[in-house]
Amino acid sequence: MNIKALNGFKDILPGEVELWQRLEAVARDIFARFNFFEIRLPILEKTDLFARAIGEATDIVEKEMYTFVDKQVTMRPEATASLLRAYIEHGLHVQKPVQRLFTIGPMFRHERPQKGRLRQFHQMDVEVLGSVSPRVDAEMMAMGAMLLGELGLFVSLELNSLGCPVCRPGFRTSLLAFLDDRHRALCDDCKRRSATNPLRVLDCKNPKCREQVLEAPSLQDHLCADCADHFRGVQEGLGQLGVQYSLNKFMVRGLDYYTRTTFEFITSDLGAQAAVGAGGRYDGLVEQLGGPSVPGIGFALGMERLVLLLQQKEDKIAVSGIDLFVAAIGEQSSRHAFGLAHALRTSGMRVAMDLEGRSLKSQMKQAGKLGAAHVLILGEDELAAGKAVLRNMATKQQQEIVLQEEGKMVQTLILQLKSL
RNA sequence: GUGAAUGUAGCUCAGCUGGUGGUAGCACUUGGUUGUGGUCCAAGAAGUCGUGGGUUCGAGUCCCAUCAUUCACCCCA
């Protein structure tokens, strides 16, 4: 019986995990600069939460959720629903009129895995609740762009406005009329979509549909006065902050809750999984979930996809080395070194030693691989003479050190490591 | 859920029209240096050739099934 990880579930091993740590460190730094606070959320929620937030008719809810049917609970397929549930449950709108929150963690969707798409994947999710200001929208995108920029990634930003419950029905009607005229020319999926979710036809990848849809009415032309004002404000803000973007009238969202601003960070380097980050405004959602009437906007970054891009850059991540390797020869020395290494670690140093009784040569090799700055060699001869040899691995300089009682020895070594 | 490709050492891969599993690279262990790393050299260890059937004197190689992986569709971050 050979047990392997589940299809679509991955181990992140040493060597790759450093990239994840760097990604998270950069992200946390930038989120802090923009005054966002972390919130940690459970992975399991009532199934109903996702059905109501994401939309009963979406693919995610219809066929991709990991649900314990008997318990009516589901492993979260995205973060926004859980975050809003917590926001409402704890009355966060009362504590602050505008809440800026982020969360980082695994999400679960039962899809067929492929490049940049796993069944357990990780997102960094950022949300602002309580503001309708178009500057917030612009700021969110600027923050995303800054994050990607500081990671050294070149990703483009696409922007659209989906309108609101006031203007979208009108657009829908004219879109439906347009699609009806060309029903025959559409692919089978789009024939179905015309009935269920006509907006989706706009971003069908089938070339035939794309051609048909080129002349389709544009959402941007059907916005009501308020939405048009808002959309103008967003673009003005982006311009002021120097964020590069392009308008894409065909971009719609797969989740039902989006209104007005939607955007995607897109790369051409990941095959079919072009979106490394996406989000938008969801002004009615909090209320729809039983909370106060509070507007919101958020976006999520796909961490696997960002890590793939970082790997493609092939920047070598310097593995942070250790301070000291204690090399001992013989049982007596090894016993002495065992205690000394522990004392050094207690005082805050990164220390390694070999516990397998290997040759000095082998121990030196290990020290080299671990990136040890120094090696303390404790041989039988040295021990007998009450001494040890300290070697600087970079300069190859060595110097003798008189062995002392452990506490003093630690002090001496800390000083010597700086000077040698 | 649909389609295609691929499964040989821990990893990356050779292995032609069936004839004893590789002086292959990386990684690992040991040695060259009786006690000194990164380079170099040598040796060593490591495999039910995904699994199960079939064809054949003989299958890693051909056929069937099955499982897994990958890419794409779909969907999405």
Side-chain angles (χ1 to χ4, degrees), chain A residues 268-376:
Chain A
S268 53
D269 299 330
L270 286 180
Q273 265 47 250
V276 297
R281 189 162 268 286
Y282 46 84
D283 286 343
L285 182 58
V286 178
E287 189 170 14
Q288 185 192 313
L289 290 175
S293 174
V294 164
I297 177 169
F299 74 100
L301 293 161
M303 295 179 76
E304 276 78 4
R305 294 178 187 182
L306 291 174
V307 167
L308 280 172
L309 290 176
L310 290 173
Q311 281 171 335
Q312 283 178 17
K313 288 206 315 157
E314 285 199 15
D315 285 357
K316 286 268 157 59
I317 295 220
V319 180
S320 62
I322 59 172
D323 299 310
L324 182 71
F325 189 98
V326 184
I329 309 150
E331 171 56 26
Q332 280 294 101
S333 304
S334 189
R335 185 184 161 78
H336 189 95
F338 187 55
L340 180 61
H342 188 71
L344 287 163
R345 287 165 175 157
T346 304
S347 69
M349 297 179 67
R350 299 184 180 193
V351 180
M353 73 170 285
D354 174 76
L355 302 176
E356 317 304 319
R358 287 202 233 267
S359 69
L360 180 60
K361 176 183 175 128
S362 167
Q363 294 191 55
M364 292 302 289
K365 275 192 184 174
Q366 291 177 53
K369 267 177 219 145
L370 290 168
H374 294 83
V375 175
L376 184 72

Side-chain angles (χ1 to χ4, degrees), chain A residues 220-272:
Chain A
Q220 289 166 25
D221 299 332
H222 283 73
L223 297 178
C224 61
D226 285 349
C227 286
D229 268 355
H230 189 270
F231 196 40
R232 214 172 296 123
V234 173
Q235 295 180 70
E236 194 185 302
L238 288 172
Q240 190 187 344
L241 301 184
V243 178
Q244 300 288 315
Y245 67 94
S246 55
L247 294 177
N248 178 356
K249 68 172 183 171
F250 299 123
M251 185 179 65
V252 299
R253 311 266 63 222
L255 285 61
D256 286 354
Y257 53 62
Y258 286 107
T259 57
R260 290 191 172 171
T261 309
T262 64
F263 57 95
E264 283 184 11
F265 290 101
I266 305 227
T267 175
S268 53
D269 299 330
L270 286 180

Side-chain angles (χ1 to χ4, degrees), chain A residues 210-224:
Chain A
R210 288 215 147 165
E211 201 180 314
Q212 290 303 315
V213 137
L214 274 180
E215 300 296 315
S218 167
L219 260 162
Q220 289 166 25
D221 299 332
H222 283 73
L223 297 178
C224 61

Side-chain angles (χ1 to χ4, degrees), chain A residues 45-111:
Chain A
E45 298 275 0
K46 287 254 175 66
T47 303
D48 193 40
L49 171 67
F50 301 118
R52 280 167 62 190
I54 299 170
E56 296 275 7
T58 58
D59 281 12
I60 293 178
V61 171
E62 269 182 4
K63 51 197 185 196
E64 294 174 1
M65 296 205 300
Y66 281 92
T67 295
F68 298 83
V69 178
D70 55 331
K71 301 190 174 64
Q72 298 284 304
V73 296
T74 293
M75 294 168 79
R76 62 181 183 191
E78 55 106 50
T80 304
S82 305
L83 191 140
L84 294 191
R85 191 226 79 227
Y87 175 85
I88 295 165
E89 182 170 340
H90 301 287
L92 298 186
H93 61 290
V94 178
Q95 297 179 27
K96 274 186 199 170
V98 178
Q99 284 280 2
R100 306 175 143 235
L101 300 165
F102 76 91
T103 191
I104 299 175
M107 311 293 157
F108 303 85
R109 289 182 203 172
H110 190 98
E111 300 179 271

